[in-house]
Amino acid sequence: MKKQVVAAAVVATIVQPAIAADLITNPVPPRREQQAVAPAPIYPVFKGRVAVMDGRTLWYPRYAQRIRLADIDACELPQWALNPKWENRQQTKAPAPVPCGPLAKAWLKRTVGYKSIECTVVGYSQDGTPVARCIASGRDLALEMLRVGWARIESPYPSNRQYLAFQNYAMAARYGMWATYVLDMNEWRRKAVDKTLDRRPIADFNLLAVRESEISPPFVDARKKPKRTDR
């Protein structure tokens, strides 16, 4: 009897492992259909009459909103190009200036006319301006600007494959700015000091003389010409 009591006391003194009340176990991952999916961004759509600000920018007075055409770029309003087929009447070597910025604006304004324009925003530029696909009477405005050669695609991989095809056709036909010596728009924005509408053509003549890149076919034509033409 005494031995049984001692044995029971020994067993009682053995420390038993305890289970904590706040024990955390790895939760079961939710099923695929239960996982939260971020909703796709909903971009606005603008409709109505517009004013043309430049060769790639529209203004909706109704919304007080500026819209930029997606995937294309155009000359800034103060930017000049140079005509390689000038007439050397006064024995000068300066080519005739071409106001590529105003001409791009004029063509876009002609295309828009008094039509109602529908612009579907697809994103935003670095300065916060909405970038959109804009349609006038079923015509893509960006595609129209590329077709006549008064705009270029912003990247080699536009979202619309037709853009590159239309640009290549305009370049081959020497339409619009592709018939001129024109400075790449991004390079012009970096280097131009005077960006007012009073900018003189000689300023862009000087920038073209120290250009970093060449985007129009006349540059290639000039390199193929012989240095001497008296033979």
Side-chain angles (χ1 to χ4, degrees):
M1 186 66 180
K2 184 182 285 189
K3 291 182 179 181
Q4 292 179 352
V5 174
V6 173
V10 171
V11 172
T13 58
I14 298 177
V15 179
Q16 299 294 331
I19 299 177
D22 57 349
L23 179 65
I24 300 177
T25 59
N26 292 329
V28 178
R31 295 180 180 178
R32 185 179 298 274
E33 60 272 12
Q34 295 177 343
Q35 293 180 355
V37 178
I42 300 176
Y43 293 121
V45 177
F46 297 93
K47 296 180 181 180
R49 296 274 296 275
V50 299
V52 175
M53 299 181 69
D54 58 35
R56 61 170 181 157
T57 311
L58 305 175
W59 172 260
Y60 277 95
R62 177 181 176 183
Y63 308 101
Q65 181 62 61
R66 183 175 57 168
I67 298 290
R68 189 167 294 153
L69 301 182
D71 281 337
I72 68 168
D73 201 356
C75 289
E76 296 288 347
L77 285 179
Q79 186 174 356
W80 294 84
L82 300 176
N83 185 357
K85 299 179 181 179
W86 74 93
E87 295 183 6
N88 194 8
R89 294 179 179 177
Q90 300 178 351
Q91 300 299 318
T92 60
K93 295 184 179 181
V98 177
C100 63
L103 287 174
K105 176 183 177 179
W107 191 270
L108 182 57
K109 188 175 181 179
R110 174 185 176 182
T111 305
V112 167
Y114 296 98
K115 305 179 186 73
S116 176
I117 309 300
E118 179 176 330
C119 289
T120 303
V121 176
V122 297
Y124 294 87
S125 61
Q126 293 181 351
D127 61 2
T129 302
V131 177
R133 306 241 174 261
C134 297
I135 305 297
S137 300
R139 300 168 68 184
D140 184 333
L141 295 182
L143 197 65
E144 174 66 14
M145 294 300 291
L146 292 170
R147 183 185 71 83
V148 297
W150 286 118
R152 68 163 178 82
I153 55 175
E154 277 194 312
S155 72
Y157 308 102
S159 56
N160 187 336
R161 294 182 180 180
Q162 285 187 310
Y163 286 5
L164 184 59
F166 274 63
Q167 174 175 287
N168 289 339
Y169 178 80
M171 291 179 71
R174 302 296 198 269
Y175 288 160
M177 66 179 178
W178 302 124
T180 71
Y181 296 119
V182 61
L183 192 65
D184 178 73
M185 298 83 189
N186 290 326
E187 185 175 350
W188 186 91
R189 294 183 189 108
R190 292 197 315 268
K191 293 183 175 181
V193 177
D194 177 15
K195 296 181 181 179
T196 67
L197 295 179
D198 294 330
R199 182 179 177 85
R200 307 296 296 172
I202 189 63
D204 284 319
F205 179 84
N206 293 332
L207 286 182
L208 282 163
V210 293
R211 63 191 176 275
E212 298 174 7
S213 61
E214 299 177 352
I215 65 171
S216 61
F219 286 116
V220 178
D221 297 340
R223 289 197 299 270
K224 291 180 179 179
K225 291 181 180 179
K227 294 183 179 180
R228 296 186 61 178
T229 58
D230 58 344
R231 296 181 181 179

